[in-house]
Amino acid sequence: MSEKTKTDEESTGNIVEEAKKRFKRSQEFYDRSRILAVEDTKFALGDSDNGWQWPDDIRNARKLDKRVCLTVNLTAQHCNQVINSIRQNRPSIKVSPVDNGADKKTAELLGGLIRNIQVSSAADDAHDVAAEHSIYGGEGYWRIVTEYETPDSFNQCLRIKPISNPNMVYLDPDCKELDKSDAQWGFVFEDITKEEFKREYPGIDPESWANDERKAGWFDDENVRIADYYYLTYADDTACLLSDGSTALKSRLPQGAVVVQERKTKVKRWTWCKLVGGHETPVDKVEWLGDYLPIIACIGKEVNVNGEIVRKGLVRDLKDPARMVNFSYSETVQSLALQNKVPYMAATEAIEGYEQIWKAANLENRAYLPYNAYDDEGKQLPKPERQPPAILPAAQVDLLHLSTEQMRAASGQQ
């Protein structure tokens, strides 16, 4: 990174104020789809303990009625097939020489440099985390940062880092490219405790911040929100055609270069800022030496439906078939579990004096069940008899098979 530079945005307004307006706008854009994304991710990770694959009201009602409420999570396996396929065939970067000034050897050197960055960054983990989130909820991210090689070094190196919570990333809603490479700005948020904040920024007092920032979610009684904020500005410059046929910007002309033609142009300038809580100015700000926003999006399925962006992963279409599976198995097990709970039909006189034994007849394994064979007048009483067991309906068995087939059809995987 270079030394701090003054940008056009600084001269026209406050960086933090502009950043928070952009954040609010992107929050309104992303929040609806992310509520569904969280529900989809929880559904994919549902099990019998958390019950995330059952609607709360139905699950609670079945518990009150003491009915079977099973979670047979076939959704995770459908997702794992895609995730494992990505892990077996990981995407890789290849550098190809494509213009007159390029050569194969340089391309190989650059390719080796990129592979070294990926290996030293454990980039596969970052890619896997982003892929999993895109399959579950429809969007995942990783980012590129710079780090000093050692604590006492002044040399910086590039690193690829995972973003474990995609809901902490907000990008420019106006970008059109599927990979979000045309984004003009972006945020990566992190919540830290107030104790950690005071240790990192001892000169800033959170108690002095306005309550409006608390309402906006920038801090609360326990945590402070910090953000890496990247934004793009354009600087006026002049493109120069040199006598040897090469080109250069006038601001970076080599000494002694002979210019044969000029034209006005604009140059991208990326800036990185560190924003904390309700602080009115960035606590740090430098120029980011890159052509693109260093936050890479991994999107599942994204379609513009009459102006509304619909974004989802694999799970969304599996939810209803998965609920059919859970309901079918639960009802089938419920029916089978009641096979030994079939009640007895008995005359009151026949079990008089043995009520407690007959009450536990479906709970205990007794060698025999006593009953009164005759009444007080010596007349024979009807013998208590168990009713025929419930027959498992054929339609219920068919629904089991149909529900699993529906899941295969929804995911396209057999």
Side-chain angles (χ1 to χ4, degrees):
M1 292 185 180
S2 68
E3 296 180 356
K4 297 181 180 181
T5 57
K6 185 175 180 180
T7 64
D8 292 340
E9 188 171 350
E10 280 184 274
S11 61
T12 58
N14 182 274
I15 294 176
V16 174
E17 183 180 351
E18 180 69 19
K20 292 185 175 179
K21 287 180 180 178
R22 286 176 167 178
F23 166 60
K24 184 176 180 181
R25 178 167 169 258
S26 62
Q27 195 175 34
E28 293 172 352
F29 177 81
Y30 281 100
D31 273 3
R32 184 179 180 278
S33 64
R34 287 185 172 175
I35 290 172
L36 297 175
V38 170
E39 292 177 357
D40 293 346
T41 303
K42 292 172 70 175
F43 192 94
L45 302 176
D47 55 42
S48 57
D49 293 324
N50 55 44
W52 285 340
Q53 290 198 357
W54 285 87
D56 290 339
D57 55 344
I58 296 178
R59 184 166 180 255
N60 292 333
R62 293 183 73 88
K63 280 188 172 182
L64 288 174
D65 295 339
K66 295 184 178 180
R67 296 182 64 82
V68 177
C69 189
L70 301 177
T71 297
V72 183
N73 193 348
L74 301 182
T75 305
Q77 183 56 34
H78 283 271
C79 294
N80 288 339
Q81 288 190 34
V82 180
I83 294 169
N84 292 335
S85 177
I86 293 173
R87 287 175 174 169
Q88 291 174 358
N89 302 280
R90 298 186 185 277
S92 58
I93 299 175
K94 183 177 181 181
V95 180
S96 301
V98 294
D99 59 24
N100 294 332
D103 61 83
K104 185 177 180 181
K105 185 175 181 180
T106 302
E108 291 175 352
L109 290 172
L110 291 173
L113 177 63
I114 292 171
R115 287 192 294 273
N116 178 66
I117 293 172
Q118 290 180 314
V119 171
S120 59
S121 303
D124 287 345
D125 294 338
H127 299 157
D128 289 345
V129 170
E132 286 187 22
H133 279 294
S134 68
I135 291 165
Y136 294 149
E139 60 176 324
Y141 301 90
W142 70 83
R143 62 186 302 200
I144 299 172
V145 300
T146 57
E147 294 179 349
Y148 288 104
E149 291 180 340
T150 60
D152 59 348
S153 173
F154 287 88
N155 295 325
Q156 289 185 316
C157 53
L158 292 173
R159 290 288 182 264
I160 299 170
K161 295 291 185 180
I163 297 177
S164 58
N165 185 358
N167 291 343
M168 300 298 274
V169 178
Y170 288 90
L171 303 183
D172 179 7
D174 294 326
C175 52
K176 307 299 182 188
E177 298 294 335
L178 295 178
D179 60 359
K180 314 304 178 186
S181 59
D182 58 337
Q184 303 284 302
W185 47 268
F187 297 88
V188 179
F189 289 95
E190 181 184 0
D191 290 333
I192 61 175
T193 63
K194 281 194 173 181
E195 290 75 13
E196 185 179 354
F197 177 81
K198 290 177 182 178
R199 185 171 60 251
E200 294 288 333
Y201 308 99
I204 302 176
D205 180 17
E207 303 302 326
S208 64
W209 296 337
N211 283 330
D212 290 342
E213 303 298 340
R214 181 188 294 270
K215 294 177 183 177
W218 284 91
F219 72 98
D220 55 32
D221 293 335
E222 297 179 358
N223 299 312
V224 175
R225 175 159 290 188
I226 63 176
D228 288 329
Y229 170 47
Y230 300 87
Y231 63 90
L232 176 65
T233 56
Y234 292 88
D236 292 327
D237 209 328
T238 302
C240 301
L241 177 64
L242 307 184
S243 57
D244 60 357
S246 62
T247 59
L249 293 173
K250 196 167 189 177
S251 60
R252 301 176 184 175
L253 270 181
Q255 188 174 3
V258 178
V259 179
V260 297
Q261 190 175 349
E262 294 183 351
R263 69 174 179 85
K264 297 294 183 181
T265 188
K266 288 186 178 294
V267 181
K268 290 182 177 181
R269 293 284 187 266
W270 278 101
T271 304
W272 166 83
C273 295
K274 175 69 78 173
L275 310 180
V276 297
H279 202 53
E280 296 179 351
T281 58
V283 296
D284 197 4
K285 181 176 70 65
V286 294
E287 182 181 354
W288 171 261
L289 298 180
D291 291 332
Y292 301 97
L293 177 68
I295 305 171
I296 295 85
C298 183
I299 305 299
K301 180 181 289 185
E302 186 177 75
V303 180
N304 188 318
V305 182
N306 195 28
E308 179 183 356
I309 302 298
V310 177
R311 186 184 300 110
K312 63 181 181 179
L314 180 64
V315 176
R316 189 78 55 84
D317 296 332
L318 290 173
K319 290 170 78 171
D320 278 349
R323 291 189 179 107
M324 288 172 58
V325 170
N326 291 334
F327 182 80
S328 301
Y329 274 98
S330 296
E331 288 301 308
T332 302
V333 171
Q334 181 77 29
S335 299
L336 293 173
L338 291 176
Q339 294 291 318
N340 294 327
K341 301 288 186 180
V342 178
Y344 286 85
M345 295 293 289
T348 305
E349 296 83 355
I351 62 172
E352 185 177 359
Y354 304 108
E355 289 87 355
Q356 294 303 318
I357 294 176
W358 282 93
K359 186 180 293 185
N362 284 333
L363 302 175
E364 300 174 351
N365 294 321
R366 287 179 172 268
Y368 62 90
L369 295 172
Y371 75 99
N372 301 313
Y374 302 93
D375 62 13
D376 295 338
E377 298 177 358
K379 296 180 180 179
Q380 188 173 8
L381 295 172
K383 182 177 64 174
E385 293 183 353
R386 188 190 289 270
Q387 293 299 293
I391 299 174
L392 188 65
Q396 196 164 311
V397 178
D398 292 340
L399 184 60
L400 278 175
H401 297 296
L402 178 62
S403 59
T404 53
E405 288 298 325
Q406 286 296 321
M407 290 202 69
R408 295 191 183 104
S411 70
Q413 299 175 104
Q414 301 302 318

